Amino acid sequence: MEVGQMQRRLVEFTKSLFMEGFLDGQFLQLQQLQDESNPDFVVEVVSLFFQDSEKLLNDLTSALEQQNVDFKKVDAHVHQLKGSSSSIGAQRVKNACVVFRSFCEEQNLEGCMRCLQQVKQEFYLAKNKFETLFTLEQQILAAGGSIPATEITSF
Amino acid sequence: MGMAAAESRFHVLAVDDNIIDRKLIERLLKTSSYQVTTVDSGSKALEFLGLHEDDRSNSGSPSILTNNHHQELEVNLIITDYCMPGMTGYDLLKKIKESSSLRDIPVVIMSSENVPARISRCLEEGAEEFFLKPVRKSDLNRLRPHVMKAVSKDQKQEKHEEEEEEEKQEEKEIKSQKHQEQQQQQHQQQLSPRPSGNSKRKAMEENLSPDRTRPRYSDIAAVV
């Protein structure tokens, strides 16, 4: 596949991520913070997010398995995850966290368990999408091409 | 912009318990040419600023701390998250405003939650701005006037002190000239010795001048 084709594929894929709500405008902000002096900024932050959040998800799982669930603690973890996902533009993960928090407030254990499943699903979906995105970028760079800037014209 | 070299001298202390947000705010600030130090809690922030949690006021020097291990950098602005375990951003803000050595450092609060009561409480306590997270590059433009105001206030004070000193020194020189003339005319007359307090103070001021390496802005109004 030649560079032009790869670039078009990347653009289409990125666009779809926005259309399907995986990403929001905050991701564009991240991309704008990347430059020649910090060429890996986006990959670094996103990787950090997945590393850090995996831990949070584990903590959440065990917190909900306790005899006496501490909903305040659960909420604190979800709040962290909501914040991080919001900061990288992972919109669907963030939205799942918002729902989760309302169940924490109600101290609804079943609701929380369902939400945890939902958040995990969105988390792994997002991880997958990002991995594809970064792979496409790498392929373009390896072929000597440049990454086209994301241009969002209408949403 | 011609002031790029001067801009890079502003130092921001960013406080956030979330690792992603710390990385983000650090990058944001660096791209706006600020020097950045990040810490993950209010207590670490106070430690960095040279203040201990139970200190109410420091009679020491203002934001320049030369007696602390690594803290020889002046902090020109503090930006802190609101929701943090232990000491919240609001608690940190209060401690800073209660400290005589730190209260002039502008403080900005960030929060992912848009709670009007929270916002007004922070502004009332002395926060300059309240940013909703995620913070964007455009938000950082709102920081500059606060940093400039604090820096110019410092420099105006210094300049004022310097001018006062120069005036006193001039006065003293004129007086001592007159004194000499009078002595020559009336060599028998006894005059009380001039107190040397002023010259001592000038000498002390001069010893402090290595700290005055900050650029002088003759026209603050030029900054937008």
Side-chain angles (χ1 to χ4, degrees):
Chain A
M1 201 185 292
E2 50 94 35
V3 176
Q5 251 181 300
M6 286 194 253
Q7 286 171 328
R8 272 189 299 278
R9 216 165 60 139
L10 175 65
V11 170
E12 284 311 307
F13 184 71
T14 309
K15 220 159 125 184
S16 73
L17 293 181
F18 282 95
M19 301 303 290
E20 289 162 27
F22 285 102
L23 295 180
D24 64 27
Q26 179 60 18
F27 185 71
L28 293 177
Q29 292 286 317
L30 279 194
Q31 288 184 317
Q32 283 172 29
L33 288 174
Q34 186 165 287
D35 59 22
E36 305 81 47
S37 67
N38 262 257
D40 302 316
F41 180 69
V42 180
V43 174
E44 281 170 14
V45 182
V46 173
S47 306
L48 190 59
F49 167 74
F50 284 106
Q51 252 184 326
D52 191 59
S53 305
E54 188 112 33
K55 264 184 262 159
L56 273 173
L57 288 174
N58 290 335
D59 291 341
L60 273 167
T61 309
S62 51
L64 286 173
E65 282 169 359
Q66 298 302 305
Q67 272 277 347
N68 293 315
V69 175
D70 182 350
F71 287 98
K72 279 217 155 79
K73 198 168 172 194
V74 174
D75 183 69
H77 288 317
V78 181
H79 173 80
Q80 281 289 308
L81 186 58
K82 176 178 154 261
S84 305
S85 54
S86 163
S87 291
I88 66 159
Q91 192 176 244
R92 281 164 65 144
V93 178
K94 179 191 77 176
N95 290 342
C97 289
V98 173
V99 180
F100 199 155
R101 289 194 83 191
S102 58
F103 283 109
C104 288
E105 221 173 308
E106 285 172 28
Q107 307 215 350
N108 181 333
L109 184 58
E110 228 187 87
C112 283
M113 299 275 221
R114 278 200 309 268
C115 280
L116 180 59
Q117 283 322 300
Q118 187 65 21
V119 169
K120 280 180 174 174
Q121 202 176 310
E122 292 300 342
F123 179 83
Y124 288 109
L125 255 173
K127 193 167 184 202
N128 205 282
K129 296 290 183 184
F130 276 111
E131 274 166 6
T132 307
L133 184 72
F134 295 142
T135 305
L136 286 174
E137 284 183 351
Q138 277 313 301
Q139 286 171 349
I140 292 170
L141 292 173
S146 61
I147 311 296
T150 312
E151 277 169 43
I152 305 299
T153 48
S154 59
F155 272 94
Chain B
M1 278 177 245
M3 287 167 72
E7 281 171 14
S8 67
R9 303 179 120 226
F10 292 144
H11 180 210
V12 179
L13 177 65
V15 191
D16 201 316
D17 62 318
N18 185 307
I19 193 173
I20 307 296
D21 289 343
R22 271 200 308 280
K23 199 165 163 84
L24 191 58
I25 195 75
E26 181 188 48
R27 184 78 197 123
L28 274 166
L29 288 165
K30 282 186 170 163
T31 55
S32 296
S33 305
Y34 292 101
Q35 260 184 291
V36 191
T37 300
T38 60
V39 292
D40 65 7
S41 71
S43 44
K44 292 228 181 97
L46 291 176
E47 223 181 277
F48 185 80
L49 293 163
L51 190 70
H52 297 286
E53 263 181 78
D54 35 30
D55 276 6
R56 290 249 137 200
S57 66
N58 255 353
S59 52
S61 46
S63 43
I64 301 167
L65 295 154
T66 52
N67 56 349
N68 211 338
H69 30 283
H70 51 267
Q71 228 301 54
E72 281 186 18
L73 293 171
E74 201 180 328
V75 172
N76 302 114
L77 184 124
I78 297 164
I79 182 164
T80 177
D81 188 24
Y82 183 94
C83 279
M84 294 189 292
M87 193 187 295
T88 66
Y90 178 75
D91 298 329
L92 176 61
L93 169 66
K94 269 181 80 175
K95 293 231 187 252
I96 290 167
K97 293 303 171 188
E98 282 165 7
S99 154
S100 57
S101 57
L102 302 176
R103 71 163 63 106
D104 288 331
I105 306 178
V107 181
V108 170
I109 311 273
M110 306 180 275
S111 178
S112 54
E113 285 157 335
N114 191 348
V115 181
R118 177 183 293 184
I119 299 174
S120 45
R121 206 160 63 118
C122 288
L123 296 176
E124 272 162 36
E125 194 59 41
E128 308 288 343
E129 295 272 355
F130 193 101
F131 290 165
L132 279 178
K133 283 171 144 184
V135 177
R136 313 187 131 207
K137 208 155 174 204
S138 52
D139 292 324
L140 296 193
N141 296 333
R142 286 152 64 190
L143 291 182
R144 197 151 298 274
H146 302 298
V147 177
M148 296 306 295
K149 189 173 73 178
V151 169
S152 88
K153 192 169 145 200
D154 262 356
Q155 288 181 344
K156 273 191 181 144
Q157 265 176 357
E158 279 180 15
K159 198 165 183 189
H160 181 66
E161 278 168 17
E162 243 188 29
E163 282 170 357
E164 260 186 356
E165 271 313 296
E166 280 173 18
E167 275 176 26
K168 281 188 181 147
Q169 191 64 12
E170 263 179 42
E171 237 180 66
K172 189 177 154 238
E173 278 165 13
I174 292 169
K175 281 184 177 153
S176 77
Q177 251 181 20
K178 279 196 177 148
H179 179 172
Q180 281 176 3
E181 284 169 11
Q182 282 176 342
Q183 280 220 304
Q184 280 161 14
Q185 288 168 19
Q186 303 149 27
H187 26 247
Q188 303 248 309
Q189 198 158 11
Q190 289 273 343
L191 287 169
S192 52
R194 284 258 132 215
S196 56
N198 279 350
S199 60
K200 262 197 197 146
R201 196 173 152 208
K202 178 109 205 251
M204 269 170 66
E205 287 274 353
E206 280 170 353
N207 283 340
L208 288 173
S209 61
D211 288 331
R212 297 185 195 169
T213 53
R214 282 172 295 180
R216 303 232 161 231
Y217 302 102
S218 51
D219 185 7
I220 304 299
V223 178
V224 168

